[in-house]
Amino acid sequence: MHDLIQLSDRSDVTPGMRRDLVDCWVQVTRGGGAAGFPFPPVAENDLAPVMDALIARLRPDRERLLVALHGTVPVGWTHLSRDPNPLIPHWGAVNHLQTLPTHRKRGVGTALMNRARDVARDEMGLRRLHLTARSGMGLETFYERLGWREAGRWPKALPPAPDGPLGGLAPDGAALDAVAPDAVAPDGAAPDGVALDGVPGEVLMVLTPL
């Protein structure tokens, strides 16, 4: 069992917590996880400025970090934010869901997503959430099990991998191939429409009502 905590103000994030969150992000990305940086290798100095910007924006009504702890060590986290557009203040987004490679397949990702839904609805007053997931990794199935639905796709939204197609890991750690060998359609596309040219896209997932 993991403890789940919220960080909703920059003062909540100690130097040690910041260091551990960045280290988690580095390990997840190096392990093939789809957590915002498409291609390893990455290092602390690549991710630390992005983490610092997230921390600087934390506000209870606007942006929060949800963190899964094993003891006192973060083993997974995600970012929850309200849409800044004043026309849709009841919309929000979930980004950067990740679990340390050593703690995958233990329900960390599922627990974080369920908590994000509860916090968005009960504490932030949100009524609709969206996220984007990297295509070709089977992530859609994970989110669909949690009640999310696919709303659209952006083929080739990400730059091509330097050494070919991306492989990867589902949020809870099951290894996935981009497309099973017997699932390739004659025209070179997967049945779900993912291009098989090594150029990943993004899938928009929506959760509503909360």
Side-chain angles (χ1 to χ4, degrees):
M1 180 66 70
H2 299 90
D3 295 323
L4 299 181
I5 64 170
Q6 290 188 59
L7 307 173
S8 57
D9 187 87
R10 69 178 67 187
S11 63
D12 296 335
V13 187
T14 65
M17 175 65 73
R18 173 195 174 277
R19 182 180 58 250
D20 288 343
L21 292 174
V22 171
D23 181 65
C24 177
W25 206 349
V26 169
Q27 292 190 51
V28 168
T29 304
R30 288 178 177 174
F37 283 76
F39 311 118
V42 295
E44 180 180 347
N45 59 3
D46 298 314
L47 300 177
V50 185
M51 175 58 70
D52 288 340
L54 288 179
I55 293 171
R57 295 197 306 267
L58 292 178
R59 285 175 47 187
D61 62 329
R62 289 289 178 184
E63 300 194 31
R64 305 186 186 198
L65 291 172
L66 307 180
V67 183
L69 299 177
H70 181 70
T72 59
V73 178
V75 295
W77 61 271
T78 194
H79 174 243
L80 176 63
S81 63
R82 182 186 302 276
D83 197 297
N85 188 333
L87 297 178
I88 48 174
H90 58 296
W91 288 24
V94 178
N95 292 295
H96 308 307
L97 176 67
Q98 56 194 279
T99 302
L100 273 179
T102 54
H103 284 74
R104 287 171 175 156
K105 301 184 73 173
R106 302 185 188 183
V108 175
T110 296
L112 285 168
M113 289 301 295
N114 288 336
R115 179 62 62 85
R117 179 177 188 166
D118 292 344
V119 169
R121 181 190 61 222
D122 299 336
E123 299 183 28
M124 297 177 69
L126 301 177
R127 292 296 175 262
R128 176 188 175 105
L129 291 175
H130 68 266
L131 61 82
T132 55
R134 194 175 304 164
S135 65
M137 300 181 68
L139 300 176
E140 303 94 309
T141 302
F142 167 76
Y143 292 116
E144 286 169 354
R145 288 201 306 265
L146 299 177
W148 293 70
R149 63 177 178 82
E150 182 178 325
R153 289 184 178 240
W154 290 269
K156 302 185 180 182
L158 299 174
D163 56 354
L166 284 175
L169 296 168
D172 279 326
L176 297 168
D177 296 324
V179 179
D182 59 356
V184 178
D187 62 356
D192 65 357
V194 179
L196 301 182
D197 56 5
V199 184
E202 289 195 336
V203 182
L204 174 66
M205 307 291 293
V206 175
L207 182 65
T208 183
L210 301 188

